[in-house]
């Protein structure tokens, strides 16, 4: 139930009446600099603000542990055991070979990429600047400018972009806007010319009628 942000019963062991009346929520968050998914205790129903206790000196799930002596599962370890997903179509054979101690040579045929991985990569921003045979570099400036802010506990607290990344995005948006305006102008011009041409084709001089 707590894979989605959900209310959490935190009445036991609460000495402070005001603290006991507060509502708490349990939900997932990105920990260890984005490398793990853990549970934590929050004070809002969107699970964005960590719960605080002991005058703000204790935060998150540590509040529950401090009051009850019980550690909430998956607050100290990741819900997902292995964050990496194999993308080779014959990943099962590769894992079996690796576990049996077989060395995979440089020329080993890893097969085609799995459809799920290929789809994700096709839709993602790319920076293949340092990739052998890389083609796409349009996302390098933006990716370089992204910095994930993390707390002392290792969870993401903010996303910061550099001036270069903002400039690149702004230029891209402005260029798209001008292209859209130009296309609209061309369509309007074509309609106007078509209307003028149609009017000329059906125009009959008054002298021809006399």
């Amino acid at each position: 139930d707590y894979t989605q942000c959900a209310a959490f019963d935190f009445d036991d062991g609460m000495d402070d009446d005001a603290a006991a009346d507060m509502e708490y929520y349990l939900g997932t968050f990105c920990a260890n600099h984005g490398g793990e998914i853990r549970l934590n205790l929050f004070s809002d129903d969107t699970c964005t603000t960590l719960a605080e206790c002991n005058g703000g000196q204790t935060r998150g799930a540590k509040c529950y542990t401090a009051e009850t002596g019980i550690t909430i599962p998956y607050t100290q370890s990741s819900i997902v055991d292995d964050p990496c997903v194999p993308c080779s179509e014959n990943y099962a054979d590769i894992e079996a070979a690796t576990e049996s101690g077989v060395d995979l040579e440089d020329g080993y045929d890893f097969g085609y990429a799995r459809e799920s991985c290929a789809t994700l990569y096709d839709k993602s921003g790319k920076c293949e600047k340092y990739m052998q045979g890389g083609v796409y570099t349009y996302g390098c400036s933006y990716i370089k400018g992204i910095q994930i802010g993390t707390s002392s506990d290792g969870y993401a607290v903010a996303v910061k972009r550099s001036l270069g990344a903002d400039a690149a995005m702004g230029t891209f948006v402005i260029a798209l806007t001008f292209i859209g305006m130009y296309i609209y102008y061309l369509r309007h011009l074509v309609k106007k010319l078509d209307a003028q041409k149609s009017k000329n084709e059906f125009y009959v001089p008054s002298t021809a009628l006399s």
Side-chain angles (χ1 to χ4, degrees), residues 6-25:
F8 184 76
D9 187 9
F10 191 4
D11 293 336
D12 296 335
M14 297 293 286
D15 297 330
D16 193 324
D17 293 338
D21 293 336
M22 290 183 61
E23 294 184 354
Y24 294 92
Y25 300 86

Side-chain angles (χ1 to χ4, degrees), residues 83-98:
C84 295
V85 177
C87 283
S88 177
E89 64 173 354
N90 56 348
Y91 68 92
D93 297 335
I94 297 174
E95 290 180 353
T98 303

